[in-house]
Amino acid sequence: MVFPRLIALDMDGTLLDGESKIPESFWPVLKRAEELGVTIAPASGRQLATLQHQFGPELSFIAENGTAIAHKGEIIHVSVLPDDAVLRILDALQAVTVDHDVVLCTPTVGYVSEDANPDTFVQLEKYYYSRETVKDLRAMVKDSDIIKVAIYCSAGSEEHIAPVVFKAVPDHNVAVSGKEWLDVMPAGANKGAALHYMADTLGIDIAETAAFGDYLNDYELLQEAGTAVAMDNAHPQLKDVADVIAPSNLDHGVITVLNEWFNKMESTQRVHANQREF
């Protein structure tokens, strides 16, 4: 394989452990990447502010399923949903009878109704570090750059939410991003497109990229990457397009594979250094 210079890491079900935490053994791996000149970019459906809170602001980030891209503390690209698409989603969801809540995501804050289910607020603490409650979500549409609409449904997003939303906005990117979450992004916006944008910005050939993922919102990411890595716990469709199957997130598969790659990179560098001496 081509050694990657840019590596995108999904979070939930991929890098994070069973308690949704970053394993402590990841930080030495991140340091090794920096020493080798490899850029690590968390690539998540999570909010940019959340990722920056978890990792610090200086990394590169693909946030909100690719609709917000940041590099060294600066937002370098966003993709915005048209107002009419957001309103179509809100209109269509009125017909859904099972409990669900909506988050309107901007590059810097997530808006949620003050009447949202208490269980939803528990979930939001994990995914939306920067959030505001509002009386009327519709009132936020006109004056905000909505880059993603996220819908939380504890009864199951794929069964109860996806059919309605797919029908409402067939012209945009609808992704089942977890058992309880469904995300809507602008047409053409996804983690894979964001990886390509970041690679171009950093002057890295797409063949020199790699990506790790586990769920359907990682599909385009793995398709686009030079080396596609699906976790052992990944959705079957991701395994079908993967070049490598890593151990599960519970077994810290990302860290295992990265250490293997970095060992080979360091070994290759030593060989080249010895050859130059002669």
Side-chain angles (χ1 to χ4, degrees), residues 54-91:
Q54 291 177 290
F55 291 92
E58 292 304 309
L59 291 188
S60 298
F61 295 102
I62 295 172
E64 302 282 22
N65 280 332
T67 59
I69 307 172
H71 180 61
K72 294 186 175 180
E74 179 184 354
I75 296 175
I76 59 174
H77 184 73
V78 296
S79 302
V80 180
L81 272 167
D83 291 352
D84 77 288
V86 180
L87 294 174
R88 274 185 278 153
I89 296 167
L90 295 177
D91 287 341

Side-chain angles (χ1 to χ4, degrees), residues 129-144:
Y129 181 75
S130 173
R131 60 188 184 275
E132 292 183 18
T133 56
V134 296
K135 289 184 178 181
D136 182 8
L137 287 175
R138 290 175 178 275
M140 309 309 300
V141 176
K142 183 178 179 181
D143 297 325
S144 304

Side-chain angles (χ1 to χ4, degrees), residues 8-140:
L9 304 179
D10 176 54
M11 298 287 286
D12 297 276
T14 301
L15 174 62
L16 303 187
D17 62 20
E19 297 180 349
S20 295
K21 296 180 179 179
I22 301 170
E24 284 301 318
S25 53
F26 171 73
W27 302 111
V29 176
L30 179 61
K31 184 177 181 181
R32 289 186 77 186
E34 293 170 351
E35 292 170 348
L36 288 164
V38 176
T39 298
I40 298 288
S44 177
R46 292 179 180 228
Q47 180 187 54
L48 177 59
T50 303
L51 295 175
Q52 291 174 326
H53 176 70
Q54 291 177 290
F55 291 92
E58 292 304 309
L59 291 188
S60 298
F61 295 102
I62 295 172
E64 302 282 22
N65 280 332
T67 59
I69 307 172
H71 180 61
K72 294 186 175 180
E74 179 184 354
I75 296 175
I76 59 174
H77 184 73
V78 296
S79 302
V80 180
L81 272 167
D83 291 352
D84 77 288
V86 180
L87 294 174
R88 274 185 278 153
I89 296 167
L90 295 177
D91 287 341
L93 288 172
Q94 291 183 4
V96 177
T97 57
V98 297
D99 286 342
H100 65 279
D101 286 300
V102 176
V103 185
L104 298 184
C105 309
T106 78
T108 57
V109 65
Y111 295 113
V112 63
S113 171
E114 61 186 16
D115 297 327
N117 191 296
D119 182 51
T120 300
F121 284 107
V122 173
Q123 297 297 320
L124 293 179
E125 289 181 3
K126 291 193 296 183
Y127 301 112
Y128 293 93
Y129 181 75
S130 173
R131 60 188 184 275
E132 292 183 18
T133 56
V134 296
K135 289 184 178 181
D136 182 8
L137 287 175
R138 290 175 178 275
M140 309 309 300

